[in-house]
Amino acid sequence: MKMIATVLFVLLVNALVNLGCAETPAADRATTAASAAAVDLAKPEVPGPVAVSPTAKLALKLHAVGAQIYSCAAVTDDPAGSGTTYRWKLKAPEATLFDASGATVGKHYAGPKWQYKDGSVLAGAKVAEVKAPGQDDIAWLLLKAVSHEGQGVFTDVTFAQRLNTSKGKAPADGCDASAQGHEARADYSADYLFYTGGV
């Protein structure tokens, strides 16, 4: 009887030790993941015109890969007063949105609008822009939310930034009277950061 009690005691001690060992790495992993998320969601340093309010909170960061679609159109705002000229004008973006793991989570399209896989949709309007560091890259933008659809991650978003752009500028030529209405696609990529609050 005494031997059985001793064996049970040893088994109980081993079980408690093993349980503690199993839990500690999991807790460490959770802490590491939380720290990584906090780092990922830290506000980036950006030029003043495209910065958000200090009270705005970065809620989501997505990477976009796709194209900027331009249409050749007649314009009458030529400063030289020489009449109608033709220019590539932005028609719409068309891009796939990816999360930090590289998984497809949504799309970006005309509006401009962003749609997440949960069905929520954000429409924005440009507030400000600054030239991108790269000469061949489209501008960095600050956009304000103007409408929302559905319920999900975009429901409470108030501002968005387009940063870290690569390529995407309109063609330098090829738009004239004979090309009016024609479209051109310029491949691009960018990071889109979405904020809550700060209004």
Side-chain angles (χ1 to χ4, degrees), residues 26-130:
D28 290 344
R29 284 195 298 272
T31 301
T32 302
S35 298
V39 170
D40 288 345
L41 294 181
K43 288 183 189 177
E45 293 289 333
V46 298
V50 295
V52 295
S53 162
T55 58
K57 180 180 178 182
L58 180 55
L60 182 66
K61 179 180 178 181
L62 300 175
H63 185 65
V65 177
Q68 296 282 308
I69 304 171
Y70 296 91
S71 178
C72 180
V75 293
T76 55
D77 59 349
D78 182 38
S82 60
T84 301
T85 57
Y86 297 86
R87 189 177 306 153
W88 291 109
K89 300 188 77 174
L90 181 65
K91 179 180 179 180
E94 185 179 281
T96 301
L97 300 175
F98 302 90
D99 66 14
S101 72
T104 301
V105 295
K107 60 184 179 178
H108 177 40
Y109 52 95
K113 291 184 177 182
W114 298 262
Q115 181 174 338
Y116 200 70
K117 63 182 181 179
D118 61 12
S120 60
V121 178
L122 166 71
K126 184 175 74 172
V127 174
E129 70 174 76
V130 295

Side-chain angles (χ1 to χ4, degrees), residues 79-183:
S82 60
T84 301
T85 57
Y86 297 86
R87 189 177 306 153
W88 291 109
K89 300 188 77 174
L90 181 65
K91 179 180 179 180
E94 185 179 281
T96 301
L97 300 175
F98 302 90
D99 66 14
S101 72
T104 301
V105 295
K107 60 184 179 178
H108 177 40
Y109 52 95
K113 291 184 177 182
W114 298 262
Q115 181 174 338
Y116 200 70
K117 63 182 181 179
D118 61 12
S120 60
V121 178
L122 166 71
K126 184 175 74 172
V127 174
E129 70 174 76
V130 295
K131 287 185 177 180
Q135 184 177 352
D136 297 327
D137 306 328
I138 52 176
W140 290 12
L141 302 178
L142 173 65
L143 305 106
K144 183 175 182 177
V146 293
S147 68
H148 302 83
E149 300 172 35
Q151 293 293 317
V153 298
F154 285 144
T155 301
D156 297 322
V157 169
T158 51
F159 291 95
Q161 291 170 324
R162 181 178 76 185
L163 307 175
N164 305 321
T165 52
S166 176
K167 308 301 181 186
K169 281 193 171 182
D173 51 27
C175 180
D176 53 30
S178 65
Q180 186 173 1
H182 290 190
E183 292 185 358

